[in-house]
Structure formats: C-alpha cells, structure tokens
Amino acid sequence: MRIQEAIVVEGRYDKAAVAAVADTLILETAGFGVFKDAERLALLRRLAEQRGLIVLTDSDGAGFVIRSYLKGAIPRGQVKHAYIPDVTGKERRKRAPGKEGKLGVEGMKPDVLRQAILRAGATVLDGSAPCRPAGDLTAADLFALGLSGVPEAAARRAALLRRLDLPEHMSAKAMTAALNALYTPEELDEVLKDL
C-alpha cells in the first residue's frame, strides 16, 4: 500500500519488514542512536512537517522510550503512532528472545503490520493521487552528477548534504531516498544546478 507519511522504525530488520507492506520512505532511529544524532532528528522533523510521520517501534520498554522521545521532539499534529501487539516469542534470526520475551516489529506478520499502520491513521494513496510530486532521482543520476562512483563523489555528497542540512553520514542510496521525499523534481533541479 502506498502511504503519504514516512515511517520511522528502530532498525534495519524492522525496516525490511515494513517495506514488505508499505510503499513509502522508511527511516531507522538506529535504536537509541537517535538520542545523540541531531542531524537524524532534524531530518525526521522535516519529513514530519512535509509529509507526516508514523512512529512504529517494538512493544517493549526500549521501543516505548524511543517513541516517547520522538513524541516530545516532533509537533503533535505531525506525528502518528502505530502500535504492534504484545506477542511473546523470538525472531528467527535471533538465538534467544529479547529481554522482555516479546516479538518486535521484524517478527510481526505482514498483515499485522499493515493493520497497525492503518489504525494509526495512515493516508493511503491510490495511483492517481501523489502526496506531493516526488523527485525521481536515480542511482544513475547520482553517477551522472558526480555524486557516486567517481573520484571525489564522497566529498561532493558531503557538501550537498551539508548544504541541505541532511545527516552527513547518509549513504548514496539513503540520500537519494531523502532527496526524492523532500523535494519536488523542480526543487531538486534547482538544488542540483548549483553543484
């Protein structure tokens, strides 16, 4: 399902699980890493302001600490909260259950995740109604612009990220997703002309 809001999850396995059910930008908090990462928080705030944000964390204590932090850091009208049920068990990739013995986002079935996102009030889009004209920058465009795959690409990407107030350690793939989510094609053209 295509949704307008971006979704924030705790980690990469959660991101993979949510990507199977929601077609939108999905970002990670890197667990408690978001507490010390002002750039990541600034990006989440920008996305919340422009598209809205859905917070989907595990149902354990750590998940609620992260959720509470984001609830206080992002204006109320710009953030929605999706909750997964308390289910005991362990994820397949783990040898032992977590501290509280509950399944996290990554361990939920796709239908459970889909329902949690819908119950949070996600804005579902059909094929004819984009939330905002998305950029269409691709990996090939990054190469053509000298932002990947060429000498000095990392320095050029870093300069662009600084100029746009985006997290400096974003990979080329993450940067592409953020640019496409935050800028219309016209806005993106203007930004990239100056490079």
Side-chain angles (χ1 to χ4, degrees):
M1 72 183 157
R2 284 183 63 234
I3 65 169
Q4 172 177 311
E5 296 84 0
I7 298 176
V8 62
V9 296
E10 292 180 52
R12 67 180 172 175
Y13 295 105
D14 299 335
K15 182 177 179 178
V18 172
V21 299
D23 180 10
T24 189
L25 179 63
I26 304 167
L27 297 161
E28 304 167 33
T29 64
F32 292 140
V34 73
F35 297 167
K36 297 178 184 174
D37 192 341
E39 292 174 332
R40 186 181 310 251
L41 183 59
L43 175 59
L44 293 176
R45 285 179 175 146
R46 284 174 68 185
L47 286 166
E49 182 180 350
Q50 291 186 6
R51 300 175 61 146
L53 192 67
I54 296 175
V55 177
L56 178 58
T57 59
D58 294 349
S59 58
D60 61 5
F64 275 87
V65 169
I66 294 167
R67 182 184 299 278
S68 293
Y69 176 76
L70 293 174
K71 188 185 261 186
I74 298 170
R76 179 180 287 179
Q78 298 172 359
V79 66
K80 298 174 182 178
H81 293 273
Y83 296 91
I84 59 170
D86 278 347
V87 178
T88 57
K90 72 169 191 68
E91 285 82 8
R92 283 188 208 163
R93 70 178 180 85
K94 296 181 179 177
R95 290 186 180 178
K99 186 177 178 183
E100 295 179 30
K102 298 177 183 179
L103 285 178
V105 170
E106 74 173 276
M108 292 290 131
K109 292 183 178 173
D111 193 53
V112 172
L113 293 175
R114 187 178 296 106
Q115 290 304 314
I117 292 166
L118 290 173
R119 278 194 307 272
T123 307
V124 179
L125 305 171
D126 64 16
S128 64
C131 56
R132 140 177 232 264
D136 57 1
L137 192 67
T138 66
D141 295 326
L142 289 187
F143 179 79
L145 293 166
L147 293 169
S148 74
V150 297
E152 303 297 319
R156 290 174 56 83
R157 265 196 325 272
L160 177 61
L161 291 170
R162 273 193 306 276
R163 178 156 180 244
L164 299 176
D165 293 322
L166 293 172
E168 67 177 307
H169 298 293
M170 289 182 107
S171 66
K173 184 176 180 180
M175 181 184 76
T176 303
L179 291 175
N180 284 331
L182 291 168
Y183 297 95
T184 64
E186 296 77 24
E187 292 167 339
L188 204 47
D189 283 343
E190 287 301 313
V191 168
L192 296 173
K193 277 181 189 174
D194 295 338
L195 278 181

